[in-house]
Each structure stands twice: as C-alpha cells, then as structure tokens.
Amino acid sequence: MKSSAKKIELVSVDDLFSTEEGRQDAKLEKIQEIPLSELHPFRNHPFKVKDDEAMMETADSIKQYGVLVPAIARPDPEGGYELVAGHRRHRASELADKETMPVIVRDLDDDAATIIMVDSNLQRESLLPSERAFAYKMKLDAMKHQGERVDLTSSQVGTKLRADEILAQQAGSSRNQVQRYIRLTELIPELMDMVDEKKIALNPAYELSFLKKEEQVDLLDAMDSEQATPSLSQAQRLKKYSQEGHLTLDMMRVIMSEEKKSDLDRVTFTSDTLRKYFPKSYTPARMQETIIKLLEQWQKKRQRDQER
C-alpha cells in the first residue's frame, strides 16, 4: 500500500491560531499616517501644484476636517515614499501645519504608478494645456511599455484597439485630440508657457511644434521684435518653410510683421483717448452707450442728407 504522506501539507503556527477575519484583514490595504517630510513628489510629475485660491481653500478644509481621502504612495528605494496620488493634498497639509497625512502604500512598478498618477489628476476641471499634454504622453508611454489591454478587441469593428485609442476613450476624447496634445510636448518651455497663458492658441501651437528647437528659439526673437504671436495660417506657413528647409529669422520677422485679418477688422480706442471727451463721472459702460447714441444720430443725419 502506497503512502499518502506526501499529500499532507503542513500548516503554519500563525494559520493555526489566526481567525478567517484576521486573515482577510491582513489582505486589506492599510491607511497609514506618514510624516509629510517622508513623502516625495512623483518623478517628472506634470501637474502644477500652486498656492492659489483653491489651494488655500483646501488647506482651510484640512485644518478643520483633516485629509478625507488618503493619498497613494509607493516605497522609495532611496528612503521614504514617492507620492503617486495626492500632491495637492500634501501641499495643503503643509499649509495647514499638519505633520502627517493618511496614505495607502502600494508596491507599484513605474508603469502602474504612472497610470494611477495621471488618472488621479486628469479628472480635474481646469487643466493647463501643458499638464494635459505631458500627462497624455506619460500615460501612453506607460501603456505601450506595459502592454495594458492593447489586445482589447472592439466589438463594433472587430479590430484591435491601439493604445492611444484606449487612452482617448478613458479620457473622454478622440485619438486625434490626444495626439495633438502630445505633440505640444515638442514645444520649447517658453512657447509652452505662452500656450498655458493663452497668448498662443492650441491650433497654431500644434503647427509650431513641428519647428526645430533652434527655429522655435528664433521665433521667440521674431515675436518679440514684431510684438505679435502667430495666427493659425502664419504658423502653418512657418511649418511649411521649416519642412522645406527655407525658414530663416528674417522670414519669421516678415511673416510676424503681417497684419492679421482680425486686426484689420478691429477698431480699438484706449480709455485715455476717449476720457478727455467725457465727464470724469462717466463709467466705461456709459461712455460706450453715449458713443453708440452719437453714431446712430450721425447715421440718421447722413441718410437725410442723401435723400435730399
């Protein structure tokens, strides 16, 4: 008769004396109070953490109620923890004079951590174009490297979805729009700042991203000397000349010195020009109302003169 001893599995002492409730509890993620000084920003974190009005409101809330949603972090090999989600809560906790904050610590590889970091911020209402651009790029690179769901098949067309298509679906956008934002990461920092500040619109910025880095630097010079920013048609011409190898600083200055159609259609008066014609008590709105009335009277007089 064969022995069945090899089928017997020994149970550890801990398992013998632990309850099922205790074993399940051990599997749950624990929320830890970690000192703020031990929490470090995520490497190349693309989202700006500003001490603006919204931040001050968050700090006031934390002073009163504490941090209600735990941050997520992963162990840092060099000591402490790397924040994955919760950078604004961390800064608000500092402003609220807190010493610790609640954190869930997870063992995450670079790709998984990047995806969580981006997803936790993309839902914010107001994102700068630079934040969205670098966030999309970081997440797409992580998805491609990780191979996350790239074998997912679309039920409608029966074809495999590309990583950027999956990203677009998750972001509630189109693949084309995602790629256009990612393209903005090719802009030099000075031009990207102008996009964030709404001095350059998104469509012209996309075209300018195809200029070589040294051409973008020269463009800053041309924009400064002509005190103008490129329209879409100007940006498209700059891109065309660049791709043909004919773009020079002088050509940039010529293009930037052109009067835009929007400028030709606009009549602008400064308050200093108009103020001398009105009493000091007149507000800008009342000044505008008076000008319109005078123009209407002038138009009626011209019509009467033409009828004579």
Side-chain angles (χ1 to χ4, degrees):
M1 181 176 179
K2 291 184 179 180
S3 171
S4 60
K6 61 182 179 180
K7 296 182 180 180
I8 299 174
E9 294 183 2
L10 296 178
V11 180
S12 70
V13 174
D14 286 341
D15 286 342
L16 282 173
F17 293 98
S18 64
T19 63
E20 177 62 22
E21 181 181 0
R23 286 193 292 272
Q24 292 301 320
D25 184 62
K27 296 177 183 178
L28 298 176
E29 291 183 316
K30 296 291 195 304
I31 298 175
Q32 307 175 40
E33 284 291 333
I34 294 180
L36 300 180
S37 59
E38 293 185 16
L39 296 166
H40 318 310
F42 194 87
R43 180 169 45 88
N44 297 325
H45 187 258
F47 300 99
K48 294 178 173 61
V49 179
K50 297 181 178 180
D51 290 350
D52 52 16
E53 184 178 348
M55 178 63 75
M56 298 308 162
E57 290 176 357
T58 304
D60 288 341
S61 173
I62 288 175
K63 274 184 182 179
Q64 188 171 0
Y65 305 109
V67 176
L68 301 179
V69 179
I72 298 175
R74 62 176 181 167
D76 189 333
E78 298 182 4
Y81 303 87
E82 183 181 38
L83 272 172
V84 176
H87 292 75
R88 296 185 77 257
R89 278 164 280 168
H90 180 269
R91 176 55 183 157
S93 296
E94 290 179 331
L95 294 172
D97 295 324
K98 299 289 185 179
E99 294 184 357
T100 66
M101 71 180 292
V103 179
I104 294 172
V105 177
R106 293 179 185 169
D107 287 318
L108 300 166
D109 62 27
D110 290 345
D111 296 322
T114 295
I115 290 171
I116 292 174
M117 181 273 295
V118 171
D119 286 347
S120 67
N121 284 276
L122 274 182
Q123 306 307 317
R124 280 166 40 201
E125 291 182 5
S126 56
L127 283 179
L128 294 172
S130 64
E131 293 177 312
R132 194 175 294 279
F134 283 103
Y136 282 163
K137 186 177 189 304
M138 290 180 73
K139 182 174 180 179
L140 184 59
D141 288 345
M143 290 173 68
K144 286 179 176 178
H145 187 256
Q146 187 187 54
E148 179 183 286
R149 298 183 66 202
V150 291
D151 59 344
L152 182 66
T153 301
S154 167
S155 59
Q156 293 180 339
V157 295
T159 58
K160 290 184 178 180
L161 295 178
R162 294 168 33 155
D164 55 357
E165 291 174 323
I166 297 170
L167 171 54
Q169 289 181 0
Q170 293 172 350
S173 184
S174 67
R175 182 172 67 86
N176 182 56
Q177 188 71 347
V178 166
Q179 290 292 0
R180 288 176 74 84
Y181 267 107
I182 291 175
R183 183 68 214 181
L184 296 183
T185 62
E186 298 297 327
L187 291 172
I188 60 175
E190 293 85 351
L191 289 178
M192 182 65 93
D193 288 343
M194 296 182 78
V195 178
D196 282 344
E197 295 163 5
K198 298 184 179 179
K199 294 178 181 176
I200 299 178
L202 285 174
N203 287 334
Y206 169 77
E207 303 295 336
L208 296 178
S209 71
F210 290 91
L211 271 60
K212 301 178 182 68
K213 293 296 188 288
E214 58 270 22
E215 291 173 338
Q216 294 184 37
V217 173
D218 284 344
L219 179 60
L220 289 173
D221 186 314
M223 289 165 57
D224 183 61
S225 63
E226 301 304 326
Q227 290 296 292
T229 56
S231 65
L232 177 57
S233 63
Q234 288 173 323
Q236 289 170 335
R237 272 185 291 151
L238 290 168
K239 173 185 172 183
K240 178 176 178 291
Y241 289 132
S242 172
Q243 292 176 334
E244 293 173 350
H246 300 148
L247 188 60
T248 64
L249 177 56
D250 287 340
M251 183 177 290
M252 291 182 191
R253 286 174 175 162
V254 169
I255 292 175
M256 294 312 304
S257 67
E258 298 171 349
E259 285 191 282
K260 300 183 181 69
K261 184 179 185 302
S262 59
D263 293 334
L264 296 173
D265 292 342
R266 184 188 301 130
V267 178
T268 305
F269 292 99
T270 64
S271 354
D272 292 338
T273 302
L274 297 175
R275 181 60 65 185
K276 61 184 178 181
Y277 299 106
F278 294 92
K280 292 182 178 179
S281 60
Y282 273 45
T283 63
R286 191 173 179 188
M287 289 166 60
Q288 178 178 313
E289 182 182 351
T290 303
I291 291 170
I292 297 299
K293 286 182 179 178
L294 291 171
L295 287 172
E296 288 175 348
Q297 293 173 7
W298 175 68
Q299 185 184 41
K300 289 177 182 177
K301 182 177 181 302
R302 288 184 66 247
Q303 288 174 345
R304 288 198 300 268
D305 291 343
Q306 289 172 356
E307 291 171 356
R308 288 176 182 172

Tab-separated table of all heavy atoms in Angstrom, residues 151-161 169:
chain	number	residue	atom	x	y	z
A	151	ASP	N	-4.500	44.336	-26.437
A	151	ASP	CA	-5.107	43.276	-27.227
A	151	ASP	C	-6.628	43.315	-27.149
A	151	ASP	O	-7.311	42.430	-27.638
A	151	ASP	CB	-4.614	41.906	-26.740
A	151	ASP	CG	-4.954	41.654	-25.264
A	151	ASP	OD1	-5.283	42.631	-24.569
A	151	ASP	OD2	-4.898	40.484	-24.843
A	152	LEU	N	-7.159	44.381	-26.525
A	152	LEU	CA	-8.606	44.513	-26.423
A	152	LEU	C	-9.208	44.653	-27.822
A	152	LEU	O	-8.702	45.384	-28.661
A	152	LEU	CB	-8.959	45.758	-25.593
A	152	LEU	CG	-10.437	46.016	-25.346
A	152	LEU	CD1	-11.021	44.929	-24.471
A	152	LEU	CD2	-10.635	47.375	-24.684
A	153	THR	N	-10.261	43.947	-28.083
A	153	THR	CA	-10.880	43.968	-29.406
A	153	THR	C	-12.177	44.763	-29.359
A	153	THR	O	-12.992	44.606	-28.469
A	153	THR	CB	-11.178	42.542	-29.899
A	153	THR	OG1	-9.948	41.821	-29.951
A	153	THR	CG2	-11.825	42.557	-31.267
A	154	SER	N	-12.337	45.650	-30.332
A	154	SER	CA	-13.556	46.443	-30.417
A	154	SER	C	-14.701	45.562	-30.889
A	154	SER	O	-14.598	44.863	-31.896
A	154	SER	CB	-13.357	47.606	-31.401
A	154	SER	OG	-14.592	48.199	-31.707
A	155	SER	N	-15.819	45.598	-30.163
A	155	SER	CA	-16.967	44.764	-30.522
A	155	SER	C	-17.663	45.279	-31.768
A	155	SER	O	-18.379	44.561	-32.431
A	155	SER	CB	-17.964	44.723	-29.354
A	155	SER	OG	-18.408	46.038	-29.049
A	156	GLN	N	-17.444	46.559	-32.101
A	156	GLN	CA	-18.144	47.139	-33.246
A	156	GLN	C	-17.474	46.774	-34.574
A	156	GLN	O	-18.121	46.411	-35.534
A	156	GLN	CB	-18.205	48.666	-33.117
A	156	GLN	CG	-19.075	49.120	-31.942
A	156	GLN	CD	-19.118	50.636	-31.857
A	156	GLN	OE1	-18.257	51.320	-32.370
A	156	GLN	NE2	-20.130	51.166	-31.211
A	157	VAL	N	-16.151	46.895	-34.604
A	157	VAL	CA	-15.488	46.671	-35.880
A	157	VAL	C	-14.623	45.415	-35.884
A	157	VAL	O	-14.081	45.039	-36.906
A	157	VAL	CB	-14.623	47.901	-36.259
A	157	VAL	CG1	-15.497	49.099	-36.499
A	157	VAL	CG2	-13.612	48.209	-35.163
A	158	GLY	N	-14.460	44.786	-34.709
A	158	GLY	CA	-13.710	43.545	-34.653
A	158	GLY	C	-12.225	43.711	-34.892
A	158	GLY	O	-11.564	42.792	-35.339
A	159	THR	N	-11.697	44.906	-34.641
A	159	THR	CA	-10.265	45.140	-34.808
A	159	THR	C	-9.653	45.491	-33.465
A	159	THR	O	-10.323	46.000	-32.571
A	159	THR	CB	-10.013	46.294	-35.791
A	159	THR	OG1	-10.664	47.465	-35.307
A	159	THR	CG2	-10.537	45.954	-37.168
A	160	LYS	N	-8.354	45.251	-33.350
A	160	LYS	CA	-7.664	45.553	-32.102
A	160	LYS	C	-7.520	47.062	-31.934
A	160	LYS	O	-7.203	47.778	-32.876
A	160	LYS	CB	-6.299	44.886	-32.082
A	160	LYS	CG	-6.378	43.368	-31.945
A	160	LYS	CD	-4.992	42.751	-31.837
A	160	LYS	CE	-5.108	41.240	-31.650
A	160	LYS	NZ	-3.784	40.601	-31.539
A	161	LEU	N	-7.758	47.540	-30.716
A	161	LEU	CA	-7.637	48.958	-30.428
A	161	LEU	C	-6.193	49.311	-30.130
A	161	LEU	O	-5.488	48.585	-29.431
A	161	LEU	CB	-8.519	49.335	-29.236
A	161	LEU	CG	-10.029	49.195	-29.430
A	161	LEU	CD1	-10.747	49.556	-28.141
A	161	LEU	CD2	-10.514	50.065	-30.563
A	169	GLN	N	-10.431	56.952	-25.191
A	169	GLN	CA	-11.708	56.533	-24.611
A	169	GLN	C	-11.738	56.803	-23.116
A	169	GLN	O	-12.730	57.309	-22.582
A	169	GLN	CB	-11.951	55.048	-24.889
A	169	GLN	CG	-12.274	54.725	-26.330
A	169	GLN	CD	-12.535	53.239	-26.552
A	169	GLN	OE1	-12.473	52.443	-25.616
A	169	GLN	NE2	-12.815	52.869	-27.786
